[in-house]
Amino acid sequence: MALPMEIVGPVLGIGSLIMITASAIVMIRRLAPKAGIDARDRDQLLDDVHGRLDELDQLRQRVGELEERLDFAERVLAKAREAPRIGPPQAGSD
């Protein structure tokens, strides 16, 4: 069964943000003492990281909501398959 893009897209987005955030933190920690990044630049980089973390939190919430919607849709579809179907009798099934 193929995963719907409503799920795959946000998951890939969250994964990308995690990698970008982790990379930014590593770069800040490794380059700050060696490259002589001043406090203002470091603060700007940290603000950027915090902004990305906020965006990551929003995407996590959105993925959670999408999971709930998908679960609901699956339950509705399962009930529709299980429900008895009422219709005209089929010819030749005597």
Side-chain angles (χ1 to χ4, degrees):
M1 178 170 108
L3 292 173
M5 284 308 295
E6 292 85 16
I7 300 296
V8 175
V11 169
L12 290 176
I14 289 174
S16 299
L17 282 175
I18 290 171
M19 292 302 296
I20 290 169
T21 303
S23 299
I25 291 170
V26 169
M27 286 175 46
I28 290 170
R29 289 189 177 168
R30 289 190 178 195
L31 295 179
K34 296 177 185 174
I37 295 176
D38 63 3
R40 191 182 79 232
D41 290 340
R42 188 185 72 230
D43 290 342
Q44 287 177 341
L45 289 172
L46 287 174
D47 287 342
D48 184 47
V49 169
H50 287 293
R52 291 178 191 272
L53 288 172
D54 290 340
E55 187 176 347
L56 178 62
D57 287 337
Q58 291 172 357
L59 286 173
R60 281 184 183 162
Q61 181 180 2
R62 189 169 174 204
V63 167
E65 291 171 359
L66 288 170
E67 288 173 341
E68 289 177 14
R69 289 180 183 184
L70 180 63
D71 289 342
F72 175 77
E74 287 174 343
R75 286 192 306 271
V76 169
L77 289 173
K79 284 183 183 180
R81 283 189 216 127
E82 294 171 2
R85 297 184 182 189
I86 301 175
Q90 303 225 349
S93 59
D94 295 80

